[in-house]
Amino acid sequence: CFVYQQNMDVTLAENNTITVHDILNETKEELDFRDRVVDMSLAYGSMVVTTNSQCFVYQQNNWNTPHVEDLKDPPTLIVQCPFHFALVDTNGIQIINYE
């Protein structure tokens, strides 16, 4: 899985490792997850990563401290907007603030 936005290049390297490459600043970050990554989305200065049980929200200026939400079911779709994002799963739609 591969996501690109402006100067950021994000790749799912393994089932539970994401590599974030800032092309402009020539930096790389490796993000490791306990569970397998199900989906990811990068937009509006934020990256949303979902596993089967959790949702991680990263800000592009801080890859070390994500906001973590517990999930009942793994989402099938992530839609990002400027101030919120939506997760779609078998139970319906959740709208979550980036903070």
Side-chain angles (χ1 to χ4, degrees):
C1 187
F2 174 80
V3 180
Y4 178 81
Q5 186 209 3
Q6 293 176 344
N7 61 325
M8 304 302 291
D9 177 14
V10 180
T11 306
L12 179 59
E14 297 175 19
N15 284 338
N16 60 345
T17 303
I18 291 177
T19 303
V20 179
H21 182 208
D22 185 334
I23 299 166
L24 187 64
N25 296 321
E26 298 181 358
T27 60
K28 276 192 179 181
E29 295 281 340
E30 290 229 347
L31 308 175
D32 293 315
F33 299 90
R34 181 182 66 214
D35 299 323
R36 183 178 73 88
V37 173
V38 175
D39 200 2
M40 63 182 175
S41 177
L42 178 66
Y44 303 103
S46 299
M47 181 171 71
V48 180
V49 178
T50 58
T51 67
N52 283 328
S53 61
Q54 292 181 311
C55 174
F56 299 86
V57 181
Y58 292 90
Q59 301 302 317
Q60 284 185 351
N61 57 2
N62 182 5
W63 298 109
N64 297 321
T65 312
H67 174 73
V68 181
E69 293 276 335
D70 289 327
L71 301 173
K72 293 179 185 173
D73 291 317
T76 56
L77 177 67
I78 303 171
V79 178
Q80 289 186 256
C81 297
F83 302 106
H84 300 83
F85 65 96
L87 298 177
V88 179
D89 61 23
T90 56
N91 292 321
I93 301 171
Q94 296 180 54
I95 302 201
I96 304 170
N97 190 324
Y98 286 115
E99 305 189 12

XYZ file of all heavy atoms in Angstrom:
803
model
N 0.854 -1.174 0.000
C 0.000 0.000 0.000
C 0.902 1.240 0.000
O 1.933 1.263 0.663
C -0.884 -0.040 1.235
S -2.123 1.247 1.247
N 0.513 2.236 -0.741
C 1.332 3.423 -0.943
C 0.432 4.655 -0.935
O -0.627 4.653 -1.552
C 2.054 3.288 -2.289
C 2.829 4.485 -2.697
C 4.079 4.724 -2.172
C 2.315 5.383 -3.615
C 4.814 5.832 -2.570
C 3.028 6.487 -4.022
C 4.286 6.704 -3.493
N 0.838 5.718 -0.203
C 0.079 6.962 -0.143
C 1.061 8.108 -0.348
O 2.182 8.086 0.174
C -0.633 7.125 1.221
C -1.417 8.403 1.268
C -1.531 5.949 1.513
N 0.644 9.109 -1.112
C 1.507 10.261 -1.386
C 0.695 11.540 -1.247
O -0.441 11.612 -1.698
C 2.093 10.168 -2.800
C 2.947 11.341 -3.163
C 4.266 11.411 -2.737
C 2.444 12.397 -3.905
C 5.061 12.498 -3.054
C 3.230 13.481 -4.227
C 4.544 13.534 -3.802
O 5.320 14.602 -4.110
N 1.281 12.548 -0.586
C 0.663 13.873 -0.502
C 1.767 14.908 -0.382
O 2.631 14.791 0.484
C -0.276 13.985 0.697
C -1.022 15.292 0.701
C -1.380 15.766 2.096
O -1.044 15.169 3.088
N -2.043 16.884 2.147
N 1.724 15.914 -1.228
C 2.712 16.992 -1.277
C 4.118 16.419 -1.215
O 4.563 15.795 -2.150
C 2.452 18.000 -0.171
C 1.166 18.750 -0.352
C 0.868 19.673 0.801
O 1.443 19.555 1.870
N -0.042 20.585 0.597
N 4.846 16.593 -0.116
C 6.223 16.123 -0.034
C 6.367 14.858 0.807
O 7.463 14.472 1.155
C 7.128 17.216 0.541
C 6.721 17.624 1.939
O 5.543 17.649 2.272
N 7.689 17.953 2.765
N 5.234 14.194 1.127
C 5.273 13.002 1.966
C 4.988 11.747 1.138
O 4.040 11.706 0.369
C 4.237 13.094 3.095
C 4.376 14.322 3.973
S 5.971 14.492 4.773
C 5.913 13.168 5.910
N 5.803 10.743 1.343
C 5.677 9.453 0.668
C 5.540 8.393 1.762
O 6.462 8.210 2.552
C 6.935 9.236 -0.168
C 6.993 7.916 -0.862
O 5.968 7.237 -0.933
O 8.088 7.564 -1.351
N 4.392 7.726 1.851
C 4.126 6.765 2.922
C 3.909 5.389 2.308
O 3.083 5.224 1.410
C 2.886 7.198 3.739
C 2.613 6.199 4.838
C 3.079 8.590 4.308
N 4.645 4.392 2.824
C 4.589 3.037 2.283
C 4.378 2.034 3.407
O 5.038 2.116 4.445
C 5.905 2.703 1.552
O 6.171 3.706 0.588
C 5.830 1.364 0.873
N 3.473 1.096 3.179
C 3.307 -0.023 4.102
C 4.370 -1.045 3.736
O 4.257 -1.761 2.739
C 1.900 -0.607 3.988
C 1.578 -1.795 4.885
C 1.743 -1.430 6.357
C 0.180 -2.286 4.605
N 5.441 -1.092 4.530
C 6.591 -1.930 4.216
C 6.315 -3.399 4.525
O 6.686 -4.278 3.764
C 7.812 -1.447 4.989
N 5.693 -3.665 5.647
C 5.314 -5.009 6.043
C 3.886 -4.914 6.553
O 3.280 -3.855 6.512
C 6.252 -5.518 7.133
C 7.692 -5.639 6.689
C 8.621 -6.026 7.834
O 8.124 -6.540 8.857
O 9.818 -5.808 7.706
N 3.351 -6.006 7.066
C 1.978 -5.974 7.567
C 1.786 -5.017 8.729
O 0.691 -4.521 8.959
C 1.532 -7.370 7.995
C 1.201 -8.229 6.802
O 0.914 -7.729 5.731
N 1.246 -9.538 7.003
N 2.848 -4.744 9.489
C 2.700 -3.879 10.653
C 3.768 -2.790 10.753
O 4.024 -2.274 11.832
C 2.675 -4.717 11.932
C 3.940 -5.518 12.121
O 4.720 -5.685 11.197
N 4.141 -6.019 13.306
N 4.372 -2.413 9.644
C 5.378 -1.355 9.634
C 5.113 -0.388 8.481
O 4.958 -0.803 7.339
C 6.804 -1.935 9.484
O 7.043 -2.851 10.544
C 7.846 -0.839 9.520
N 5.061 0.903 8.811
C 4.874 1.951 7.806
C 6.128 2.807 7.771
O 6.657 3.191 8.813
C 3.645 2.826 8.147
C 2.369 2.009 7.967
C 3.615 4.080 7.291
C 1.115 2.757 8.339
N 6.607 3.106 6.564
C 7.745 3.994 6.375
C 7.240 5.325 5.840
O 6.550 5.370 4.825
C 8.762 3.391 5.387
O 9.172 2.114 5.869
C 9.965 4.299 5.225
N 7.576 6.405 6.546
C 7.190 7.760 6.151
C 8.448 8.469 5.667
O 9.414 8.605 6.413
C 6.566 8.539 7.336
C 6.193 9.938 6.901
C 5.376 7.805 7.894
N 8.432 8.904 4.411
C 9.589 9.573 3.818
C 9.201 11.003 3.471
O 8.325 11.226 2.640
C 10.051 8.818 2.576
C 11.260 9.390 1.934
N 11.509 9.253 0.593
C 12.299 10.086 2.432
C 12.647 9.856 0.304
N 13.134 10.365 1.406
N 9.834 11.956 4.133
C 9.645 13.373 3.827
C 10.677 13.723 2.755
O 11.868 13.846 3.033
C 9.845 14.224 5.078
C 9.548 15.690 4.850
O 9.665 16.166 3.698
O 9.203 16.376 5.826
N 10.214 13.851 1.536
C 11.104 14.061 0.395
C 11.794 15.419 0.470
O 12.973 15.543 0.171
C 10.319 13.907 -0.919
C 9.738 12.498 -1.004
C 11.180 14.216 -2.132
C 8.691 12.313 -2.064
N 11.069 16.439 0.900
C 11.613 17.792 0.963
C 12.737 17.903 1.989
O 13.795 18.462 1.712
C 10.489 18.782 1.286
C 10.842 20.249 1.231
C 11.218 20.667 -0.186
C 9.662 21.087 1.714
N 12.531 17.350 3.183
C 13.527 17.436 4.258
C 14.475 16.240 4.302
O 15.360 16.186 5.150
C 12.829 17.572 5.617
C 12.046 18.854 5.715
O 12.483 19.900 5.240
N 10.874 18.785 6.316
N 14.264 15.275 3.414
C 15.091 14.077 3.322
C 15.184 13.335 4.651
O 16.267 12.970 5.111
C 16.476 14.426 2.786
C 16.454 14.999 1.377
C 17.832 15.310 0.840
O 18.834 15.116 1.556
O 17.899 15.735 -0.324
N 14.022 13.103 5.285
C 13.979 12.342 6.529
C 13.084 11.126 6.341
O 12.197 11.119 5.489
C 13.438 13.185 7.696
O 12.115 13.623 7.384
C 14.327 14.378 7.970
N 13.348 10.092 7.156
C 12.540 8.876 7.138
C 12.171 8.508 8.558
O 12.984 8.623 9.475
C 13.307 7.713 6.504
C 13.236 7.675 5.025
C 13.752 6.356 4.505
C 13.634 6.350 2.993
N 14.095 5.106 2.419
N 10.930 8.063 8.725
C 10.438 7.574 10.009
C 9.846 6.186 9.785
O 9.174 5.959 8.786
C 9.341 8.482 10.566
C 9.780 9.874 10.914
C 10.508 9.958 12.237
O 10.367 9.036 13.072
O 11.217 10.947 12.435
N 10.089 5.284 10.721
C 9.464 3.966 10.672
C 8.469 3.884 11.815
O 8.813 4.134 12.967
C 10.517 2.862 10.803
C 11.398 2.761 9.595
C 11.523 1.335 9.101
O 11.128 0.411 9.821
O 12.019 1.170 7.983
N 7.226 3.561 11.489
C 6.165 3.436 12.478
C 5.791 1.969 12.589
O 5.383 1.354 11.601
C 4.948 4.271 12.058
C 5.219 5.735 11.721
C 3.955 6.402 11.216
C 5.772 6.473 12.922
N 5.951 1.397 13.781
C 5.645 -0.012 14.014
C 4.331 -0.130 14.770
O 4.056 0.647 15.689
C 6.758 -0.686 14.817
C 8.047 -0.773 14.036
O 7.990 -1.150 12.850
O 9.110 -0.456 14.604
N 3.542 -1.120 14.392
C 2.245 -1.354 15.006
C 2.189 -2.774 15.535
O 2.766 -3.683 14.949
C 1.120 -1.128 13.990
C 1.099 0.277 13.456
C 1.817 0.610 12.324
C 0.387 1.259 14.108
C 1.822 1.900 11.841
C 0.382 2.561 13.633
C 1.101 2.883 12.497
N 1.488 -2.949 16.626
C 1.346 -4.264 17.254
C 0.551 -5.207 16.352
O 0.888 -6.372 16.205
C 0.666 -4.088 18.606
C 0.482 -5.361 19.379
C -0.233 -5.121 20.682
N -1.605 -4.673 20.389
C -2.282 -3.803 21.119
N -1.738 -3.257 22.170
N -3.510 -3.471 20.782
N -0.519 -4.675 15.744
C -1.390 -5.471 14.883
C -1.153 -5.126 13.416
O -0.516 -4.125 13.087
C -2.858 -5.208 15.229
C -3.191 -5.585 16.660
O -2.647 -6.592 17.144
O -3.978 -4.861 17.289
N -1.721 -5.929 12.546
C -1.607 -5.711 11.104
C -2.345 -4.431 10.702
O -3.459 -4.171 11.140
C -2.212 -6.902 10.361
C -2.093 -6.825 8.863
C -2.682 -8.064 8.209
N -4.130 -8.073 8.265
C -4.918 -7.505 7.345
N -4.383 -6.882 6.316
N -6.220 -7.562 7.452
N -1.726 -3.627 9.846
C -2.349 -2.402 9.344
C -3.398 -2.784 8.304
O -3.106 -3.500 7.348
C -1.289 -1.454 8.726
C -1.950 -0.265 8.058
C -0.317 -0.992 9.799
N -4.631 -2.297 8.501
C -5.739 -2.606 7.610
C -5.857 -1.560 6.508
O -6.058 -1.881 5.343
C -7.064 -2.695 8.400
C -8.245 -2.899 7.477
C -6.997 -3.795 9.436
N -5.718 -0.276 6.884
C -5.869 0.814 5.912
C -5.132 2.041 6.424
O -4.853 2.161 7.620
C -7.349 1.131 5.711
C -7.634 1.867 4.412
O -6.686 2.112 3.638
O -8.806 2.203 4.171
N -4.841 2.970 5.520
C -4.223 4.239 5.903
C -4.617 5.311 4.904
O -4.936 5.021 3.751
C -2.712 4.111 6.009
C -1.992 3.773 4.747
S -0.231 3.597 5.069
C 0.316 3.059 3.472
N -4.604 6.551 5.385
C -4.962 7.689 4.550
C -4.132 8.884 4.993
O -3.883 9.077 6.184
C -6.462 7.988 4.708
O -6.825 9.116 3.963
N -3.709 9.697 4.033
C -2.877 10.865 4.310
C -3.481 12.069 3.606
O -3.586 12.088 2.380
C -1.455 10.617 3.808
C -0.441 11.736 3.956
C -0.155 12.009 5.425
C 0.847 11.368 3.231
N -3.914 13.074 4.395
C -4.486 14.294 3.831
C -4.582 15.361 4.915
O -4.634 15.039 6.102
C -5.876 14.023 3.242
N -4.606 16.603 4.502
C -4.817 17.744 5.406
C -3.840 17.780 6.574
O -4.190 18.162 7.678
C -6.261 17.766 5.916
C -7.268 17.802 4.805
C -7.972 16.657 4.453
C -7.477 18.967 4.084
C -8.881 16.681 3.405
C -8.386 19.005 3.039
C -9.083 17.860 2.709
O -9.986 17.891 1.675
N -2.611 17.350 6.353
C -1.594 17.406 7.398
C -1.698 16.305 8.434
O -0.996 16.341 9.439
N -2.558 15.314 8.195
C -2.742 14.218 9.152
C -2.713 12.878 8.421
O -3.115 12.780 7.269
C -4.081 14.341 9.868
O -4.141 15.538 10.595
N -2.238 11.867 9.131
C -2.282 10.513 8.601
C -3.111 9.660 9.551
O -2.891 9.665 10.765
C -0.882 9.909 8.471
C -0.924 8.507 7.884
S 0.684 7.814 7.470
C 1.366 7.516 9.084
N -4.077 8.935 9.001
C -4.938 8.044 9.768
C -4.568 6.612 9.388
O -4.568 6.262 8.208
C -6.426 8.316 9.473
C -7.308 7.370 10.272
C -6.787 9.770 9.761
N -4.232 5.815 10.396
C -3.852 4.420 10.192
C -4.793 3.556 11.025
O -5.009 3.839 12.207
C -2.394 4.162 10.621
C -2.023 2.695 10.452
C -1.437 5.051 9.853
N -5.357 2.516 10.425
C -6.235 1.622 11.182
C -5.689 0.206 11.186
O -5.118 -0.266 10.206
C -7.660 1.610 10.599
O -7.627 1.199 9.235
C -8.308 2.974 10.700
N -5.859 -0.442 12.339
C -5.597 -1.864 12.486
C -6.952 -2.516 12.774
O -7.976 -1.835 12.744
C -4.604 -2.142 13.632
O -5.215 -1.797 14.874
C -3.307 -1.366 13.446
N -6.977 -3.785 13.081
C -8.248 -4.452 13.382
C -8.909 -3.909 14.639
O -10.120 -3.963 14.771
C -8.045 -5.956 13.524
C -7.905 -6.619 12.176
O -8.494 -6.181 11.199
N -7.102 -7.668 12.125
N -8.123 -3.362 15.556
C -8.694 -2.956 16.842
C -8.475 -1.491 17.213
O -9.067 -1.015 18.173
C -8.130 -3.832 17.958
O -6.722 -3.682 18.018
N -7.630 -0.756 16.456
C -7.320 0.620 16.835
C -7.181 1.527 15.618
O -6.881 1.070 14.518
C -6.019 0.682 17.642
C -6.134 0.035 19.002
C -4.838 0.143 19.773
O -3.767 -0.162 19.246
N -4.931 0.568 21.028
N -7.383 2.823 15.879
C -7.174 3.864 14.878
C -6.122 4.819 15.420
O -6.240 5.301 16.553
C -8.494 4.603 14.621
S -8.323 6.030 13.537
N -5.092 5.095 14.630
C -4.001 5.979 15.025
C -4.059 7.227 14.156
O -4.119 7.124 12.931
C -2.644 5.294 14.821
C -2.478 4.050 15.634
C -2.939 2.825 15.170
C -1.856 4.098 16.863
C -2.794 1.665 15.913
C -1.695 2.946 17.623
C -2.164 1.734 17.143
N -4.014 8.399 14.791
C -4.045 9.669 14.065
C -2.723 10.381 14.329
O -2.419 10.748 15.466
C -5.232 10.549 14.506
C -5.242 11.836 13.711
C -6.542 9.804 14.346
N -1.937 10.563 13.263
C -0.644 11.236 13.345
C -0.743 12.607 12.702
O -1.434 12.771 11.699
C 0.426 10.445 12.585
C 0.783 9.123 13.189
C 0.105 7.968 12.831
C 1.816 9.031 14.105
C 0.443 6.748 13.374
C 2.164 7.805 14.659
C 1.475 6.671 14.293
O 1.812 5.469 14.833
N -0.036 13.580 13.259
C 0.130 14.886 12.632
C 1.476 14.876 11.917
O 2.446 14.293 12.409
C 0.090 16.008 13.681
C -1.205 16.053 14.471
C -2.423 16.213 13.591
O -2.421 17.002 12.661
N -3.458 15.447 13.878
N 1.560 15.501 10.760
C 2.795 15.455 9.977
C 3.976 16.099 10.693
O 5.111 15.781 10.391
C 2.591 16.121 8.624
C 1.811 15.264 7.669
C 1.720 15.882 6.283
O 2.094 17.027 6.065
N 1.196 15.119 5.353
N 3.726 16.968 11.646
C 4.845 17.584 12.365
C 5.234 16.791 13.607
O 6.134 17.182 14.336
C 4.515 19.032 12.739
C 3.258 19.136 13.573
O 2.639 18.137 13.913
N 2.877 20.351 13.898
N 4.550 15.651 13.892
C 4.883 14.837 15.057
C 4.502 13.373 14.787
O 3.368 12.972 15.013
C 4.143 15.360 16.292
C 4.500 14.579 17.539
O 5.361 13.712 17.525
N 3.831 14.881 18.628
N 5.466 12.592 14.347
C 5.218 11.177 14.042
C 5.373 10.300 15.272
O 5.094 9.111 15.226
C 6.161 10.696 12.945
C 5.978 11.415 11.664
C 6.829 12.313 11.100
C 4.858 11.318 10.775
N 6.305 12.780 9.920
C 5.105 12.188 9.696
C 3.674 10.593 10.788
C 4.206 12.348 8.647
C 2.783 10.752 9.743
C 3.056 11.613 8.693
N 5.821 10.861 16.410
C 6.119 10.055 17.590
C 4.930 9.821 18.512
O 4.908 8.849 19.247
C 7.246 10.705 18.402
C 8.527 10.765 17.608
O 8.854 9.851 16.888
N 9.244 11.865 17.734
N 3.945 10.729 18.513
C 2.851 10.644 19.473
C 1.502 10.690 18.766
O 0.932 11.764 18.592
C 2.943 11.809 20.485
O 4.277 11.899 20.964
C 2.007 11.595 21.647
N 0.966 9.535 18.371
C -0.343 9.551 17.717
C -1.477 9.634 18.734
O -1.324 9.262 19.899
C -0.381 8.210 16.992
C 0.415 7.317 17.877
C 1.534 8.191 18.422
N -2.609 10.101 18.272
C -3.847 10.003 19.049
C -4.423 8.625 18.719
O -4.502 8.256 17.546
C -4.812 11.116 18.641
C -6.144 11.008 19.285
N -6.340 11.307 20.611
C -7.342 10.608 18.807
C -7.608 11.099 20.913
N -8.237 10.675 19.837
N -4.817 7.849 19.735
C -5.257 6.475 19.519
C -6.719 6.324 19.939
O -7.107 6.757 21.027
C -4.378 5.478 20.317
C -4.821 4.054 20.074
C -2.919 5.654 19.959
N -7.519 5.730 19.061
C -8.923 5.413 19.336
C -9.103 3.900 19.239
O -8.599 3.275 18.308
C -9.842 6.061 18.288
C -9.894 7.561 18.325
C -10.886 8.087 19.343
O -11.845 7.368 19.671
O -10.686 9.211 19.799
N -9.809 3.314 20.193
C -10.142 1.893 20.113
C -11.333 1.704 19.179
O -12.252 2.528 19.163
C -10.470 1.333 21.497
C -9.239 1.230 22.375
O -8.146 0.978 21.835
O -9.372 1.398 23.591
N -11.314 0.631 18.406
C -12.373 0.344 17.429
C -13.086 -0.951 17.782
O -12.459 -1.893 18.274
C -11.770 0.222 16.021
C -11.016 1.428 15.491
C -10.351 1.074 14.158
C -11.951 2.607 15.320
N -14.391 -1.002 17.492
C -15.155 -2.235 17.691
C -14.938 -3.191 16.519
O -14.774 -4.380 16.700
C -16.637 -1.913 17.833
C -16.957 -1.153 19.083
C -18.418 -0.836 19.172
C -18.682 0.037 20.380
N -20.052 0.513 20.427
N -14.973 -2.638 15.303
C -14.776 -3.425 14.088
C -13.756 -2.724 13.201
O -13.656 -1.494 13.211
C -16.089 -3.554 13.303
C -17.105 -4.410 14.015
O -16.714 -5.473 14.544
O -18.294 -4.029 14.054
N -13.014 -3.476 12.387
C -12.065 -2.822 11.482
C -12.810 -2.043 10.398
O -13.777 -2.531 9.824
C -11.275 -3.979 10.882
C -12.095 -5.190 11.109
C -12.960 -4.928 12.292
N -12.388 -0.818 10.125
C -13.061 -0.018 9.092
C -12.727 -0.496 7.686
O -11.676 -1.084 7.442
C -12.531 1.398 9.315
C -11.357 1.265 10.194
C -11.381 -0.073 10.838
N -13.658 -0.240 6.787
C -13.454 -0.590 5.387
C -13.138 0.633 4.536
O -12.741 0.489 3.389
C -14.708 -1.281 4.821
O -15.833 -0.420 5.011
C -14.957 -2.602 5.520
N -13.325 1.835 5.119
C -13.086 3.073 4.372
C -12.707 4.188 5.323
O -13.289 4.314 6.400
C -14.353 3.462 3.589
C -14.316 4.768 2.803
C -13.324 4.679 1.641
C -15.701 5.115 2.293
N -11.723 5.006 4.914
C -11.332 6.223 5.635
C -11.533 7.391 4.682
O -11.027 7.366 3.556
C -9.850 6.190 6.063
C -9.555 4.974 6.933
C -9.474 7.486 6.779
C -8.070 4.771 7.191
N -12.257 8.418 5.132
C -12.446 9.625 4.343
C -12.006 10.808 5.205
O -12.541 11.005 6.295
C -13.915 9.815 3.905
C -14.068 11.109 3.125
C -14.386 8.634 3.085
N -11.036 11.579 4.711
C -10.521 12.711 5.466
C -11.053 14.029 4.920
O -11.190 14.203 3.710
C -8.988 12.727 5.429
C -8.368 11.625 6.251
C -6.866 11.753 6.315
O -6.187 11.006 5.638
N -6.376 12.693 7.096
N -11.338 14.947 5.839
C -11.741 16.320 5.547
C -10.813 17.237 6.347
O -10.036 16.758 7.164
C -13.188 16.545 5.947
S -14.341 15.527 5.013
N -10.890 18.553 6.161
C -9.944 19.441 6.845
C -9.937 19.335 8.373
O -8.871 19.406 8.983
C -10.373 20.832 6.401
C -11.027 20.619 5.089
C -11.697 19.277 5.185
N -11.091 19.149 9.036
C -11.131 19.157 10.497
C -11.575 17.833 11.115
O -11.426 17.633 12.309
C -12.054 20.281 10.992
C -11.613 21.633 10.507
C -12.314 22.269 9.502
C -10.484 22.250 11.023
C -11.903 23.507 9.030
C -10.072 23.486 10.563
C -10.778 24.116 9.565
N -12.124 16.932 10.320
C -12.626 15.645 10.799
C -12.287 14.555 9.789
O -11.922 14.840 8.662
C -14.149 15.685 10.965
C -14.627 16.706 11.939
N -14.812 18.023 11.597
C -14.941 16.603 13.244
C -15.229 18.693 12.650
N -15.318 17.860 13.666
N -12.452 13.314 10.223
C -12.358 12.201 9.288
C -13.455 11.199 9.624
O -13.986 11.171 10.737
C -10.971 11.551 9.294
C -10.577 10.888 10.581
C -10.762 9.525 10.759
C -10.003 11.618 11.607
C -10.379 8.906 11.939
C -9.625 11.011 12.791
C -9.815 9.656 12.953
N -13.820 10.394 8.651
C -14.879 9.410 8.827
C -14.320 8.008 8.638
O -13.496 7.775 7.752
C -16.012 9.653 7.831
N -14.763 7.103 9.494
C -14.443 5.689 9.371
C -15.738 4.942 9.110
O -16.715 5.120 9.840
C -13.805 5.154 10.659
C -12.487 5.767 11.105
C -12.044 5.157 12.426
C -11.422 5.562 10.055
N -15.745 4.122 8.076
C -16.918 3.326 7.744
C -16.604 1.873 8.084
O -15.573 1.339 7.663
C -17.278 3.456 6.248
C -18.478 2.606 5.903
C -17.512 4.915 5.882
N -17.496 1.246 8.865
C -17.341 -0.169 9.183
C -18.698 -0.855 9.076
O -19.661 -0.252 8.595
C -16.698 -0.368 10.565
C -17.522 0.213 11.702
O -18.744 0.382 11.551
O -16.938 0.497 12.759
N -18.800 -2.090 9.511
C -20.045 -2.847 9.371
C -21.183 -2.281 10.219
O -22.345 -2.545 9.947
C -19.831 -4.321 9.753
O -19.303 -4.374 11.081
C -18.884 -5.003 8.795
N -20.864 -1.483 11.247
C -21.886 -0.887 12.113
C -22.361 0.471 11.630
O -23.336 0.991 12.143
C -21.369 -0.753 13.543
C -21.176 -2.101 14.190
O -21.979 -2.993 14.002
N -20.092 -2.241 14.934
N -21.655 1.082 10.686
C -22.057 2.400 10.204
C -20.860 3.325 10.017
O -19.770 2.877 9.696
N -21.098 4.614 10.255
C -20.086 5.645 10.040
C -19.757 6.325 11.357
O -20.653 6.694 12.114
C -20.579 6.698 9.030
C -20.906 6.042 7.690
C -19.550 7.801 8.845
C -21.590 6.968 6.707
N -18.461 6.493 11.629
C -18.008 7.268 12.785
C -17.318 8.515 12.264
O -16.444 8.427 11.396
C -17.000 6.480 13.604
C -17.508 5.228 14.232
C -16.378 4.562 15.014
O -15.753 5.177 15.861
N -16.130 3.310 14.699
N -17.661 9.676 12.804
C -16.986 10.923 12.450
C -16.156 11.331 13.652
O -16.672 11.459 14.775
C -17.991 12.015 12.057
C -18.800 11.484 10.893
C -17.279 13.319 11.794
C -19.493 12.432 10.036
N -14.858 11.514 13.423
C -13.911 11.752 14.511
C -13.109 13.013 14.216
O -12.706 13.249 13.083
C -12.968 10.537 14.665
C -13.774 9.256 14.893
C -11.982 10.757 15.793
C -12.967 7.988 14.830
N -12.846 13.787 15.260
C -12.005 14.970 15.174
C -10.542 14.526 15.167
O -10.195 13.537 15.804
C -12.296 15.862 16.398
C -11.659 17.214 16.304
O -10.562 17.355 15.793
N -12.342 18.196 16.827
N -9.664 15.247 14.477
C -8.253 14.875 14.441
C -7.602 14.944 15.812
O -6.583 14.334 16.056
C -7.481 15.782 13.484
C -7.762 15.472 12.024
C -8.403 16.394 11.216
C -7.377 14.279 11.474
C -8.648 16.132 9.894
C -7.624 13.985 10.144
C -8.262 14.922 9.358
O -8.513 14.648 8.052
N -8.151 15.717 16.727
C -7.542 15.889 18.028
C -8.167 14.927 18.988
O -7.803 14.586 19.990
C -7.706 17.319 18.489
C -7.137 18.214 17.408
C -7.033 19.649 17.824
O -7.176 19.956 19.008
O -6.770 20.460 16.938
